[in-house]
């Protein structure tokens, strides 16, 4: 049987390989039951790629990413590589793959599973049933803006420069993704910038407003300054449906939002490119937790964000809502049964290992599928 879709796995560094091991099992289960027919390849990224190939992302790996129907990346980075020059650091591999694949819209859901409402550091009633989606612009702004660098001035002082820059089309394409998502949810978009101090923020607000007026009148649009949004996210997160913001504010706000559910170990993400005429769309899926060097190699990392990232792949890249729902349900049931890794364990429960958690989800999938 020829494989219908090509998936590329990038385990990366730290806990990456451990949670990828679990993802492999989940993917194997879907293949073995005939629910999917995926060819699964694997490659290096980040520190491991630097150690092996002398660069965090080789052109050959990037090429494989572009040819794949979807990429599932675990995590990159670690203290071992922290003192390398900027260009060699694992994070450059991540930025390189985003840029190279053209994935400009980063979808970061913050969803509170009802059984985990107590895991949050906020009061359960503040986060119970929370379901928000942060859409972060991923290829522009201060992350990539020129000029950038560190220079030495004639008087011997040093000066560091980065540039926050956005164009009309960059703003509109990511805002469009946010409006489209909102239509399938609660129909609300909150656009976030700092138009009170930044021209790029003024432009952002104007372009999002124009797009809503021309194409998305049916979607409710509000605007918020980024600092206020950070405050509102902990004060009353349920006021939001979809939040759209630039690369840097989106980075900060999504980390903040990721703590509402209580553990980073639960949250997946998707980064999507433009839909081509053929229907093809570049797509990169990642758990939002980092490489967690402090627990790497101990076998205790929570693999659920990685599993849920695979679920997002099934939903967004392959329109397999049934299979994606099956994953969400299996994860919920496992949590309900009190099977917890250390990061989400509650009083009276004994934490399980990464492998035990993964196997529990596979078993639950099999049970649900009948
Ligand atoms: C993220 C991370 C990355 C970013 C780092 C690792 C470069 O924080 O995916 O949010 O800043 O984009
Ligand atoms: Mg971040």
């Amino acid at each position: 049987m020829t494989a219908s879709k090509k998936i590329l796995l990038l385990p990366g560094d730290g806990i990456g390989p451990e949670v990828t091991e679990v993802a492999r099992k989940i993917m194997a289960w879907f293949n073995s039951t005939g629910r999917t027919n995926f060819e699964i390849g694997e490659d290096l990224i980040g520190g491991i790629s630097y150690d092996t190939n002398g660069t965090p992302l080789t052109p050959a790996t990037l090429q494989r990413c572009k040819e794949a129907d979807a990429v599932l990346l675990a995590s990159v980075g670690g203290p071992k590589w922290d003192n390398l020059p900027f260009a060699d650091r694992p994070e450059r591999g991540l930025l390189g793959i985003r840029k190279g694949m053209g994935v400009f819209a980063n979808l970061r859901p913050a969803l509170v599973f009802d059984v985990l409402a107590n895991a949050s550091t906020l009061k359960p009633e503040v986060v119970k049933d929370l379901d928000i989606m942060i859409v972060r612009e991923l290829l522009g702004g201060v992350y990539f803006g020129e000029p950038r660098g560190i220079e030495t001035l004639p008087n011997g002082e040093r000066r560091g420069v980065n540039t926050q820059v956005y164009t009309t089309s960059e703003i509109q394409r990511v805002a469009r993704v946010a409006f489209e998502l909102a239509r399938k949810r609660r129909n609300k978009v909150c656009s976030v910038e700092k138009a009170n101090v930044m021209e790029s923020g003024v432009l952002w607000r104007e372009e999002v407003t124009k797009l809503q007026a021309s194409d998305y009148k049916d979607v409710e649009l509000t605007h918020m300054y980024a600092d206020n949004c950070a405050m509102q996210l902990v004060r009353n997160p349920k006021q939001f449906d979809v939040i759209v913001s630039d690369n840097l504010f989106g980075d900060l706000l999504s980390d903040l939002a990721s703590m509402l559910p209580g553990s980073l170990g639960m949250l997946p993400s998707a980064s999507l490119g433009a839909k081509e005429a053929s229907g093809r769309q570049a797509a990169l899926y990642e758990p939002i937790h980092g490489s967690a060097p402090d627990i790497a190699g101990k076998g205790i990392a929570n693999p659920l964000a990685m599993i849920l990232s695979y679920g997002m792949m099934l939903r967004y890249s392959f329109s397999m809502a049934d299979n994606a729902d099956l994953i969400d349900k299996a994860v919920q049931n496992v949590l309900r049964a009190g099977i917890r890794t250390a990061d989400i364990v509650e009083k009276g429960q004994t934490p399980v290992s990464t492998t035990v958690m993964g196997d529990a989800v596979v078993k639950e999938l099999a049970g649900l599928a009948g």
Side-chain angles (χ1 to χ4, degrees):
M1 196 158 65
T2 51
S4 58
K5 299 288 178 198
K6 267 199 226 160
I7 315 289
L8 188 65
L9 275 175
L10 300 171
D13 308 317
I15 59 169
E18 297 161 53
V19 296
T20 302
E21 185 62 47
V22 170
R24 263 189 231 107
K25 281 191 199 167
I26 302 280
M27 296 170 92
W29 181 83
F30 274 95
N31 264 349
S32 73
T33 56
R35 289 174 166 266
T36 58
N37 180 22
F38 295 159
E39 181 190 320
I40 298 154
E42 205 168 308
D43 215 325
L44 304 179
I45 190 167
I48 177 111
S49 171
Y50 176 78
D51 289 348
T52 315
N53 302 315
T55 166
L57 176 67
T58 66
T61 303
L62 178 58
Q63 189 54 34
R64 283 185 78 189
C65 291
K66 288 185 184 173
E67 284 163 12
D69 291 290
V71 178
L72 182 59
L73 184 159
S75 60
V76 300
K80 181 177 174 198
W81 304 283
D82 273 353
N83 295 317
L84 287 175
F86 235 41
D88 293 334
R89 291 180 54 156
E91 291 80 4
R92 296 312 293 183
L94 188 56
L95 299 183
I97 201 178
R98 288 173 179 169
K99 194 79 169 176
M101 289 179 72
V103 288
F104 61 85
N106 183 211
L107 280 46
R108 299 189 162 186
L111 199 120
V112 174
F113 285 86
D114 55 357
V115 285
L116 287 186
N118 286 320
S120 178
T121 47
L122 296 190
K123 295 195 184 94
E125 64 267 26
V126 175
V127 296
K128 194 174 173 294
D129 300 322
L130 179 77
D131 176 5
I132 60 184
M133 176 72 89
I134 297 197
V135 179
R136 166 190 176 194
E137 199 291 324
L138 205 54
L139 297 185
V142 78
Y143 272 64
F144 295 96
E146 301 279 347
R148 64 185 298 156
I150 300 177
E151 59 183 2
T152 304
L153 301 173
N155 68 0
E157 256 211 306
R158 296 206 304 153
R159 190 165 87 125
V161 178
N162 290 94
T163 303
Q164 166 78 345
V165 52
Y166 273 104
T167 60
T168 314
S169 59
E170 284 174 328
I171 298 166
Q172 290 204 350
R173 66 182 182 177
V174 72
R176 198 171 279 285
V177 171
F179 285 124
E180 295 287 339
L181 277 167
R183 275 185 177 160
K184 295 185 197 143
R185 298 167 48 94
R186 298 187 302 280
N187 224 29
K188 290 201 304 192
V189 170
C190 179
S191 171
V192 174
E193 25 59 13
K194 271 188 72 74
N196 50 348
V197 282
M198 297 163 76
E199 282 77 4
S200 60
V202 173
L203 183 76
W204 183 282
R205 189 175 283 222
E206 286 175 3
E207 291 305 328
V208 175
T209 303
K210 265 194 238 163
L211 183 66
Q212 190 259 358
S214 62
D215 293 15
Y216 297 99
K217 276 213 185 65
D218 55 306
V219 182
E220 182 191 319
L221 172 66
T222 53
H223 304 274
M224 211 178 259
Y225 297 140
D227 50 348
N228 184 27
C229 182
M231 185 271 275
Q232 295 294 342
L233 271 170
V234 282
R235 191 185 73 88
N236 175 20
K238 283 189 240 173
Q239 70 186 284
F240 297 108
D241 178 17
V242 176
I243 292 174
V244 62
S245 197
D246 75 12
N247 206 343
L248 185 61
F249 292 142
D251 180 45
L252 301 176
L253 295 173
S254 62
D255 254 37
L256 196 161
S258 72
M259 260 296 124
L260 302 173
S263 172
L264 279 177
M266 296 298 302
L267 295 177
S269 80
S271 303
L272 306 174
K275 250 209 179 92
E276 293 161 28
S278 62
R280 221 184 120 80
Q281 184 175 31
L284 169 68
Y285 297 85
E286 303 165 62
I288 83 155
H289 59 64
S291 55
D294 53 323
I295 59 162
K298 294 187 180 161
I300 59 170
N302 185 346
L304 294 180
M306 185 72 169
I307 295 176
L308 293 168
S309 296
Y310 180 56
M312 277 188 101
M313 178 193 290
L314 296 174
R315 192 179 303 280
Y316 290 101
S317 282
F318 305 126
S319 300
M320 293 180 171
D322 288 356
N323 287 335
D325 289 346
L326 196 64
I327 289 186
D328 291 350
K329 194 138 193 214
V331 167
Q332 293 232 31
N333 287 354
V334 165
L335 291 172
R336 237 174 237 137
I339 301 170
R340 306 285 173 86
T341 42
D343 56 317
I344 48 173
V345 80
E346 285 178 57
K347 260 208 192 94
Q349 297 167 335
T350 312
V352 302
S353 68
T354 309
T355 314
V356 168
M357 178 60 106
D359 291 348
V361 176
V362 172
K363 196 168 158 222
E364 190 58 36
L365 282 170
L368 284 169

